[in-house]
Amino acid sequence: MMRKIALGLLWLGFLTYAFLLAPPEQPGTFDLIVDLSTGKWEGINPTIVALFNIMGIWPLIYSGVLYSDGKGQRVPAWPFAVGSFGVGAFALLPYLVLRQPKPVWEGAKSWFIRLIESRWTGLIAFLGSLVLVIWGFTVGDWHNFVQQWQTDRFIHVMSLDFCLLHLLFPTLLGDDMARRGMQNSALFWLVTVIPLLGPALYLVVRPALPESERSTLKASVSG
């Protein structure tokens, strides 16, 4: 219960800060978002381009654990997972407040869960993250980025959203590892302390969810 209260307060605090306390919104923000979304990146700091695209990879990483976590929950995970592609942690935090611990996998795996939790999905997320991080660090203008972070609400809140998504991932990681029979505290902390690349790599190295007894029986009868 204390975790739910803390996450609820964090969600309210983030909303309050983003809309009332963060730096003001700058003219041309909507046009910037459109240009970033449509690939018109000329004249835009590569660090900002990299961060914007990374914020599209984070929801893919979360989807790799959310859909299996949401099976059997009172509240479905998919609306929050879909919403996170647009507003990041603003959409994910309510699910984290409402969900119950789920360290055991029960039931058959749908084709979608098989797809979203496949190593290929994890590999796409990891390689995409790696390319963007290297590109943003080596080509980007960090002095310009810091200036925009201090004065532009969109850049400021997007950066904090990145940090929050990193900090929140362990709230789902423990149960996801337990559902797969993984007891590896070293891996848990490695994934936890490495932003973005740690969770993305976890999707690549983790074992698949166990098959349910019903699906296993069905497969053996078919054979």
Side-chain angles (χ1 to χ4, degrees):
M1 180 58 69
M2 290 302 299
R3 172 181 285 194
K4 291 179 177 290
I5 293 173
L7 289 170
L9 292 175
L10 179 61
W11 182 57
L12 292 174
F14 191 32
L15 282 170
T16 301
Y17 180 84
F19 290 101
L20 298 179
L21 302 175
E25 183 175 330
Q26 297 299 319
T29 296
F30 179 76
D31 292 335
L32 174 62
I33 295 173
V34 170
D35 289 344
L36 287 168
S37 303
T38 56
K40 299 178 181 178
W41 300 340
E42 186 176 355
I44 303 177
N45 185 348
T47 302
I48 293 173
V49 175
L51 177 60
F52 182 83
N53 283 279
I54 283 171
M55 296 309 293
I57 292 179
W58 262 125
L60 179 62
I61 293 172
Y62 267 87
S63 294
V65 297
L66 275 173
Y67 285 97
S68 56
D69 185 81
K71 186 176 177 64
Q73 298 276 1
R74 292 183 178 180
V75 56
W78 71 263
F80 304 93
V82 172
S84 68
F85 280 92
V87 291
F90 290 108
L92 288 173
L93 272 165
Y95 175 76
L96 297 179
V97 172
L98 296 171
R99 70 178 288 272
Q100 299 296 326
K102 191 173 182 291
V104 178
W105 171 256
E106 297 175 346
K109 291 186 283 188
S110 67
W111 67 267
F112 181 76
I113 288 182
R114 290 179 185 276
L115 174 65
I116 201 67
E117 77 141 21
S118 72
R119 282 190 169 87
W120 286 108
T121 302
L123 191 60
I124 290 171
F126 176 74
L127 292 178
S129 301
L130 185 62
V131 169
L132 288 169
V133 167
I134 293 174
W135 185 59
F137 268 101
T138 58
V139 181
D141 184 342
W142 283 92
H143 179 70
N144 171 265
F145 176 79
V146 171
Q147 286 183 326
Q148 294 199 57
W149 185 84
Q150 293 173 334
T151 59
D152 189 309
R153 173 176 295 173
F154 172 64
I155 306 301
H156 188 91
V157 173
M158 181 167 59
S159 304
L160 295 182
D161 196 13
F162 172 93
C163 297
L164 197 53
L165 288 171
H166 166 61
L167 293 174
L168 290 173
F169 193 75
T171 63
L172 295 168
L173 177 60
D175 278 2
D176 192 76
M177 293 180 68
R179 285 192 292 270
R180 299 164 197 278
M182 301 175 69
Q183 297 180 348
N184 190 331
S185 59
L187 177 62
F188 178 90
W189 287 109
L190 186 66
V191 172
T192 297
V193 300
I194 301 177
L196 184 65
L197 296 176
L201 186 60
Y202 168 73
L203 299 186
V204 179
V205 302
R206 66 182 180 174
L209 289 167
E211 296 287 350
S212 68
E213 293 183 6
R214 180 183 302 175
S215 59
T216 303
L217 178 62
K218 183 178 179 181
S220 53
V221 170
S222 301

